[in-house]
Amino acid sequence: MPLSSRRWGDPKGPVLLLLHGMWGGSRHWERFADGFPDRDVLAPELPGFGISPNPAQDFSPAFLRDALLAFLEERKVARFSVVGNSLGGRLAVALAEAVPDRVEAAVLVAPAGLTPPATWLKALPKFRMPYEVGPDNISPQA
C-alpha cells in the first residue's frame, strides 16, 4: 500500500522517521523536522490518514507496522532513527521489535496502546532509557 509522505533535510543524511498519532498527519511534524537539516527526515502518513489510501484491512498495529516496513523498503532505507507520537509511539516500538538491527534510536512521545512499561521495555534491550520508570513515578536516571 503506497503511503503519502513529506520529506525534509538532507537526502544523503541518516534517516529520521517521524510517525504521527491517531489524530495527526505528516504536517504536524513540519516545525520539528526543520530542526534536523543534516538528516533525511521522512514523515509518512499512515494508511487512512492524510491522502494515504484507506485500507480494506483492519488498522491493527501489525498491519500498520508492515505498511511502514514496506514504505522503508520502497525507499531502500537500511537503518533509521524513529520518533513516534501517540499511535506513532506504539508503532515505533513495533518497528524496533520487528527489525531491531535497523533501528538506531527510538523516541516515544506520549505513546499510546502500550502495556505497562516493564513489559515493552524488555522488548527494547539495546535502548537506554533516560528515565527510570517506576510504578508511581518517572525520574531521571543517574
PDB file of all heavy atoms in Angstrom, residues 45-72:
ATOM      1  N   GLU A  45       2.372   9.278   6.063  1.00  0.00           N
ATOM      2  CA  GLU A  45       1.023   9.322   6.624  1.00  0.00           C
ATOM      3  C   GLU A  45       0.521   7.883   6.647  1.00  0.00           C
ATOM      4  O   GLU A  45       0.546   7.175   5.630  1.00  0.00           O
ATOM      5  CB  GLU A  45       0.129  10.225   5.795  1.00  0.00           C
ATOM      6  CG  GLU A  45       0.629  11.661   5.882  1.00  0.00           C
ATOM      7  CD  GLU A  45      -0.331  12.692   5.370  1.00  0.00           C
ATOM      8  OE1 GLU A  45      -0.977  12.461   4.331  1.00  0.00           O
ATOM      9  OE2 GLU A  45      -0.412  13.747   6.010  1.00  0.00           O
ATOM     10  N   LEU A  46       0.117   7.451   7.806  1.00  0.00           N
ATOM     11  CA  LEU A  46      -0.344   6.079   7.983  1.00  0.00           C
ATOM     12  C   LEU A  46      -1.545   5.791   7.084  1.00  0.00           C
ATOM     13  O   LEU A  46      -2.261   6.722   6.683  1.00  0.00           O
ATOM     14  CB  LEU A  46      -0.707   5.836   9.448  1.00  0.00           C
ATOM     15  CG  LEU A  46       0.445   5.982  10.436  1.00  0.00           C
ATOM     16  CD1 LEU A  46      -0.071   5.943  11.869  1.00  0.00           C
ATOM     17  CD2 LEU A  46       1.489   4.898  10.212  1.00  0.00           C
ATOM     18  N   PRO A  47      -1.781   4.520   6.761  1.00  0.00           N
ATOM     19  CA  PRO A  47      -2.950   4.173   5.950  1.00  0.00           C
ATOM     20  C   PRO A  47      -4.237   4.767   6.544  1.00  0.00           C
ATOM     21  O   PRO A  47      -4.484   4.675   7.742  1.00  0.00           O
ATOM     22  CB  PRO A  47      -2.978   2.642   6.017  1.00  0.00           C
ATOM     23  CG  PRO A  47      -1.558   2.253   6.249  1.00  0.00           C
ATOM     24  CD  PRO A  47      -1.003   3.344   7.137  1.00  0.00           C
ATOM     25  N   GLY A  48      -5.011   5.436   5.675  1.00  0.00           N
ATOM     26  CA  GLY A  48      -6.265   6.036   6.116  1.00  0.00           C
ATOM     27  C   GLY A  48      -6.119   7.441   6.666  1.00  0.00           C
ATOM     28  O   GLY A  48      -7.114   8.070   7.024  1.00  0.00           O
ATOM     29  N   PHE A  49      -4.902   7.974   6.705  1.00  0.00           N
ATOM     30  CA  PHE A  49      -4.654   9.331   7.200  1.00  0.00           C
ATOM     31  C   PHE A  49      -4.148  10.191   6.047  1.00  0.00           C
ATOM     32  O   PHE A  49      -3.521   9.687   5.112  1.00  0.00           O
ATOM     33  CB  PHE A  49      -3.613   9.325   8.319  1.00  0.00           C
ATOM     34  CG  PHE A  49      -4.090   8.689   9.588  1.00  0.00           C
ATOM     35  CD1 PHE A  49      -4.033   7.316   9.755  1.00  0.00           C
ATOM     36  CD2 PHE A  49      -4.599   9.458  10.617  1.00  0.00           C
ATOM     37  CE1 PHE A  49      -4.455   6.718  10.920  1.00  0.00           C
ATOM     38  CE2 PHE A  49      -5.046   8.872  11.793  1.00  0.00           C
ATOM     39  CZ  PHE A  49      -4.974   7.495  11.946  1.00  0.00           C
ATOM     40  N   GLY A  50      -4.404  11.514   6.136  1.00  0.00           N
ATOM     41  CA  GLY A  50      -3.945  12.412   5.082  1.00  0.00           C
ATOM     42  C   GLY A  50      -4.486  11.944   3.749  1.00  0.00           C
ATOM     43  O   GLY A  50      -5.669  11.657   3.609  1.00  0.00           O
ATOM     44  N   ILE A  51      -3.597  11.827   2.765  1.00  0.00           N
ATOM     45  CA  ILE A  51      -4.040  11.346   1.458  1.00  0.00           C
ATOM     46  C   ILE A  51      -3.593   9.903   1.190  1.00  0.00           C
ATOM     47  O   ILE A  51      -3.691   9.424   0.066  1.00  0.00           O
ATOM     48  CB  ILE A  51      -3.585  12.289   0.320  1.00  0.00           C
ATOM     49  CG1 ILE A  51      -2.069  12.421   0.274  1.00  0.00           C
ATOM     50  CG2 ILE A  51      -4.255  13.651   0.446  1.00  0.00           C
ATOM     51  CD1 ILE A  51      -1.568  13.177  -0.950  1.00  0.00           C
ATOM     52  N   SER A  52      -3.102   9.220   2.232  1.00  0.00           N
ATOM     53  CA  SER A  52      -2.797   7.791   2.080  1.00  0.00           C
ATOM     54  C   SER A  52      -4.105   7.022   1.930  1.00  0.00           C
ATOM     55  O   SER A  52      -5.109   7.369   2.559  1.00  0.00           O
ATOM     56  CB  SER A  52      -2.034   7.261   3.300  1.00  0.00           C
ATOM     57  OG  SER A  52      -0.719   7.743   3.316  1.00  0.00           O
ATOM     58  N   PRO A  53      -4.106   5.975   1.108  1.00  0.00           N
ATOM     59  CA  PRO A  53      -5.342   5.209   0.894  1.00  0.00           C
ATOM     60  C   PRO A  53      -5.865   4.579   2.184  1.00  0.00           C
ATOM     61  O   PRO A  53      -5.087   4.239   3.079  1.00  0.00           O
ATOM     62  CB  PRO A  53      -4.944   4.120  -0.101  1.00  0.00           C
ATOM     63  CG  PRO A  53      -3.543   4.354  -0.475  1.00  0.00           C
ATOM     64  CD  PRO A  53      -2.986   5.440   0.367  1.00  0.00           C
ATOM     65  N   ASN A  54      -7.169   4.452   2.236  1.00  0.00           N
ATOM     66  CA  ASN A  54      -7.821   3.792   3.357  1.00  0.00           C
ATOM     67  C   ASN A  54      -7.745   2.282   3.118  1.00  0.00           C
ATOM     68  O   ASN A  54      -8.180   1.809   2.080  1.00  0.00           O
ATOM     69  CB  ASN A  54      -9.271   4.258   3.445  1.00  0.00           C
ATOM     70  CG  ASN A  54      -9.845   4.109   4.825  1.00  0.00           C
ATOM     71  OD1 ASN A  54      -9.156   3.709   5.747  1.00  0.00           O
ATOM     72  ND2 ASN A  54     -11.109   4.438   4.953  1.00  0.00           N
ATOM     73  N   PRO A  55      -7.192   1.530   4.058  1.00  0.00           N
ATOM     74  CA  PRO A  55      -7.016   0.094   3.817  1.00  0.00           C
ATOM     75  C   PRO A  55      -8.330  -0.675   3.919  1.00  0.00           C
ATOM     76  O   PRO A  55      -9.232  -0.307   4.651  1.00  0.00           O
ATOM     77  CB  PRO A  55      -6.070  -0.332   4.932  1.00  0.00           C
ATOM     78  CG  PRO A  55      -6.371   0.618   6.043  1.00  0.00           C
ATOM     79  CD  PRO A  55      -6.696   1.928   5.370  1.00  0.00           C
ATOM     80  N   ALA A  56      -8.383  -1.776   3.187  1.00  0.00           N
ATOM     81  CA  ALA A  56      -9.536  -2.672   3.296  1.00  0.00           C
ATOM     82  C   ALA A  56      -9.411  -3.525   4.558  1.00  0.00           C
ATOM     83  O   ALA A  56     -10.392  -4.006   5.082  1.00  0.00           O
ATOM     84  CB  ALA A  56      -9.623  -3.567   2.060  1.00  0.00           C
ATOM     85  N   GLN A  57      -8.159  -3.699   5.039  1.00  0.00           N
ATOM     86  CA  GLN A  57      -7.928  -4.495   6.245  1.00  0.00           C
ATOM     87  C   GLN A  57      -8.232  -3.674   7.500  1.00  0.00           C
ATOM     88  O   GLN A  57      -8.605  -2.514   7.425  1.00  0.00           O
ATOM     89  CB  GLN A  57      -6.458  -4.942   6.325  1.00  0.00           C
ATOM     90  CG  GLN A  57      -6.060  -5.894   5.254  1.00  0.00           C
ATOM     91  CD  GLN A  57      -5.370  -5.176   4.099  1.00  0.00           C
ATOM     92  OE1 GLN A  57      -5.643  -4.035   3.796  1.00  0.00           O
ATOM     93  NE2 GLN A  57      -4.490  -5.881   3.439  1.00  0.00           N
ATOM     94  N   ASP A  58      -7.970  -4.304   8.611  1.00  0.00           N
ATOM     95  CA  ASP A  58      -8.127  -3.605   9.884  1.00  0.00           C
ATOM     96  C   ASP A  58      -6.962  -2.633  10.074  1.00  0.00           C
ATOM     97  O   ASP A  58      -6.034  -2.581   9.280  1.00  0.00           O
ATOM     98  CB  ASP A  58      -8.187  -4.603  11.036  1.00  0.00           C
ATOM     99  CG  ASP A  58      -6.889  -5.378  11.219  1.00  0.00           C
ATOM    100  OD1 ASP A  58      -5.934  -5.202  10.441  1.00  0.00           O
ATOM    101  OD2 ASP A  58      -6.828  -6.173  12.163  1.00  0.00           O
ATOM    102  N   PHE A  59      -7.018  -1.880  11.143  1.00  0.00           N
ATOM    103  CA  PHE A  59      -5.965  -0.931  11.470  1.00  0.00           C
ATOM    104  C   PHE A  59      -5.106  -1.469  12.612  1.00  0.00           C
ATOM    105  O   PHE A  59      -4.688  -0.727  13.488  1.00  0.00           O
ATOM    106  CB  PHE A  59      -6.575   0.414  11.882  1.00  0.00           C
ATOM    107  CG  PHE A  59      -7.059   1.228  10.725  1.00  0.00           C
ATOM    108  CD1 PHE A  59      -8.342   1.075  10.231  1.00  0.00           C
ATOM    109  CD2 PHE A  59      -6.231   2.155  10.125  1.00  0.00           C
ATOM    110  CE1 PHE A  59      -8.795   1.836   9.172  1.00  0.00           C
ATOM    111  CE2 PHE A  59      -6.670   2.922   9.063  1.00  0.00           C
ATOM    112  CZ  PHE A  59      -7.958   2.766   8.579  1.00  0.00           C
ATOM    113  N   SER A  60      -4.844  -2.752  12.619  1.00  0.00           N
ATOM    114  CA  SER A  60      -4.066  -3.345  13.716  1.00  0.00           C
ATOM    115  C   SER A  60      -2.635  -2.814  13.702  1.00  0.00           C
ATOM    116  O   SER A  60      -2.117  -2.422  12.649  1.00  0.00           O
ATOM    117  CB  SER A  60      -4.045  -4.870  13.580  1.00  0.00           C
ATOM    118  OG  SER A  60      -3.228  -5.241  12.482  1.00  0.00           O
ATOM    119  N   PRO A  61      -1.972  -2.801  14.871  1.00  0.00           N
ATOM    120  CA  PRO A  61      -0.562  -2.389  14.900  1.00  0.00           C
ATOM    121  C   PRO A  61       0.307  -3.207  13.943  1.00  0.00           C
ATOM    122  O   PRO A  61       1.209  -2.662  13.304  1.00  0.00           O
ATOM    123  CB  PRO A  61      -0.153  -2.608  16.354  1.00  0.00           C
ATOM    124  CG  PRO A  61      -1.419  -2.457  17.124  1.00  0.00           C
ATOM    125  CD  PRO A  61      -2.486  -3.040  16.218  1.00  0.00           C
ATOM    126  N   ALA A  62       0.037  -4.498  13.797  1.00  0.00           N
ATOM    127  CA  ALA A  62       0.825  -5.338  12.887  1.00  0.00           C
ATOM    128  C   ALA A  62       0.647  -4.882  11.435  1.00  0.00           C
ATOM    129  O   ALA A  62       1.618  -4.807  10.671  1.00  0.00           O
ATOM    130  CB  ALA A  62       0.436  -6.801  13.037  1.00  0.00           C
ATOM    131  N   PHE A  63      -0.583  -4.575  11.038  1.00  0.00           N
ATOM    132  CA  PHE A  63      -0.832  -4.097   9.672  1.00  0.00           C
ATOM    133  C   PHE A  63      -0.125  -2.764   9.434  1.00  0.00           C
ATOM    134  O   PHE A  63       0.525  -2.559   8.403  1.00  0.00           O
ATOM    135  CB  PHE A  63      -2.341  -3.958   9.416  1.00  0.00           C
ATOM    136  CG  PHE A  63      -2.643  -3.285   8.113  1.00  0.00           C
ATOM    137  CD1 PHE A  63      -2.497  -3.971   6.921  1.00  0.00           C
ATOM    138  CD2 PHE A  63      -3.038  -1.962   8.085  1.00  0.00           C
ATOM    139  CE1 PHE A  63      -2.754  -3.340   5.705  1.00  0.00           C
ATOM    140  CE2 PHE A  63      -3.292  -1.328   6.878  1.00  0.00           C
ATOM    141  CZ  PHE A  63      -3.150  -2.014   5.689  1.00  0.00           C
ATOM    142  N   LEU A  64      -0.249  -1.829  10.386  1.00  0.00           N
ATOM    143  CA  LEU A  64       0.388  -0.512  10.244  1.00  0.00           C
ATOM    144  C   LEU A  64       1.908  -0.644  10.241  1.00  0.00           C
ATOM    145  O   LEU A  64       2.591   0.022   9.452  1.00  0.00           O
ATOM    146  CB  LEU A  64      -0.088   0.424  11.356  1.00  0.00           C
ATOM    147  CG  LEU A  64      -1.586   0.735  11.339  1.00  0.00           C
ATOM    148  CD1 LEU A  64      -1.975   1.547  12.571  1.00  0.00           C
ATOM    149  CD2 LEU A  64      -1.988   1.452  10.059  1.00  0.00           C
ATOM    150  N   ARG A  65       2.444  -1.520  11.102  1.00  0.00           N
ATOM    151  CA  ARG A  65       3.893  -1.773  11.116  1.00  0.00           C
ATOM    152  C   ARG A  65       4.357  -2.270   9.756  1.00  0.00           C
ATOM    153  O   ARG A  65       5.350  -1.797   9.204  1.00  0.00           O
ATOM    154  CB  ARG A  65       4.229  -2.798  12.197  1.00  0.00           C
ATOM    155  CG  ARG A  65       5.713  -3.190  12.224  1.00  0.00           C
ATOM    156  CD  ARG A  65       5.930  -4.561  12.816  1.00  0.00           C
ATOM    157  NE  ARG A  65       5.248  -5.580  12.020  1.00  0.00           N
ATOM    158  CZ  ARG A  65       4.652  -6.651  12.530  1.00  0.00           C
ATOM    159  NH1 ARG A  65       4.648  -6.884  13.828  1.00  0.00           N
ATOM    160  NH2 ARG A  65       4.053  -7.524  11.743  1.00  0.00           N
ATOM    161  N   ASP A  66       3.632  -3.231   9.199  1.00  0.00           N
ATOM    162  CA  ASP A  66       4.012  -3.786   7.903  1.00  0.00           C
ATOM    163  C   ASP A  66       3.932  -2.738   6.790  1.00  0.00           C
ATOM    164  O   ASP A  66       4.759  -2.728   5.872  1.00  0.00           O
ATOM    165  CB  ASP A  66       3.159  -5.003   7.565  1.00  0.00           C
ATOM    166  CG  ASP A  66       3.467  -6.188   8.480  1.00  0.00           C
ATOM    167  OD1 ASP A  66       4.503  -6.168   9.185  1.00  0.00           O
ATOM    168  OD2 ASP A  66       2.656  -7.136   8.487  1.00  0.00           O
ATOM    169  N   ALA A  67       2.958  -1.847   6.865  1.00  0.00           N
ATOM    170  CA  ALA A  67       2.861  -0.762   5.883  1.00  0.00           C
ATOM    171  C   ALA A  67       4.076   0.156   5.993  1.00  0.00           C
ATOM    172  O   ALA A  67       4.621   0.607   4.978  1.00  0.00           O
ATOM    173  CB  ALA A  67       1.566   0.024   6.085  1.00  0.00           C
ATOM    174  N   LEU A  68       4.527   0.418   7.227  1.00  0.00           N
ATOM    175  CA  LEU A  68       5.722   1.254   7.423  1.00  0.00           C
ATOM    176  C   LEU A  68       6.980   0.545   6.934  1.00  0.00           C
ATOM    177  O   LEU A  68       7.853   1.168   6.322  1.00  0.00           O
ATOM    178  CB  LEU A  68       5.860   1.648   8.897  1.00  0.00           C
ATOM    179  CG  LEU A  68       4.825   2.641   9.395  1.00  0.00           C
ATOM    180  CD1 LEU A  68       4.875   2.755  10.911  1.00  0.00           C
ATOM    181  CD2 LEU A  68       5.034   4.001   8.733  1.00  0.00           C
ATOM    182  N   LEU A  69       7.085  -0.752   7.191  1.00  0.00           N
ATOM    183  CA  LEU A  69       8.242  -1.505   6.698  1.00  0.00           C
ATOM    184  C   LEU A  69       8.281  -1.493   5.168  1.00  0.00           C
ATOM    185  O   LEU A  69       9.346  -1.344   4.567  1.00  0.00           O
ATOM    186  CB  LEU A  69       8.227  -2.935   7.237  1.00  0.00           C
ATOM    187  CG  LEU A  69       8.556  -3.069   8.726  1.00  0.00           C
ATOM    188  CD1 LEU A  69       8.296  -4.499   9.207  1.00  0.00           C
ATOM    189  CD2 LEU A  69       9.987  -2.645   9.011  1.00  0.00           C
ATOM    190  N   ALA A  70       7.121  -1.607   4.522  1.00  0.00           N
ATOM    191  CA  ALA A  70       7.064  -1.534   3.058  1.00  0.00           C
ATOM    192  C   ALA A  70       7.475  -0.143   2.579  1.00  0.00           C
ATOM    193  O   ALA A  70       8.208  -0.008   1.587  1.00  0.00           O
ATOM    194  CB  ALA A  70       5.655  -1.883   2.569  1.00  0.00           C
ATOM    195  N   PHE A  71       7.025   0.898   3.291  1.00  0.00           N
ATOM    196  CA  PHE A  71       7.412   2.282   2.969  1.00  0.00           C
ATOM    197  C   PHE A  71       8.932   2.430   3.026  1.00  0.00           C
ATOM    198  O   PHE A  71       9.545   3.014   2.122  1.00  0.00           O
ATOM    199  CB  PHE A  71       6.728   3.226   3.975  1.00  0.00           C
ATOM    200  CG  PHE A  71       7.182   4.650   3.918  1.00  0.00           C
ATOM    201  CD1 PHE A  71       6.627   5.528   3.001  1.00  0.00           C
ATOM    202  CD2 PHE A  71       8.147   5.128   4.790  1.00  0.00           C
ATOM    203  CE1 PHE A  71       7.034   6.856   2.950  1.00  0.00           C
ATOM    204  CE2 PHE A  71       8.560   6.445   4.757  1.00  0.00           C
ATOM    205  CZ  PHE A  71       8.003   7.315   3.826  1.00  0.00           C
ATOM    206  N   LEU A  72       9.553   1.878   4.062  1.00  0.00           N
ATOM    207  CA  LEU A  72      11.012   1.953   4.204  1.00  0.00           C
ATOM    208  C   LEU A  72      11.721   1.143   3.126  1.00  0.00           C
ATOM    209  O   LEU A  72      12.750   1.573   2.590  1.00  0.00           O
ATOM    210  CB  LEU A  72      11.423   1.489   5.601  1.00  0.00           C
ATOM    211  CG  LEU A  72      10.962   2.391   6.745  1.00  0.00           C
ATOM    212  CD1 LEU A  72      11.129   1.688   8.080  1.00  0.00           C
ATOM    213  CD2 LEU A  72      11.703   3.716   6.722  1.00  0.00           C
TER     214      LEU A  72
END
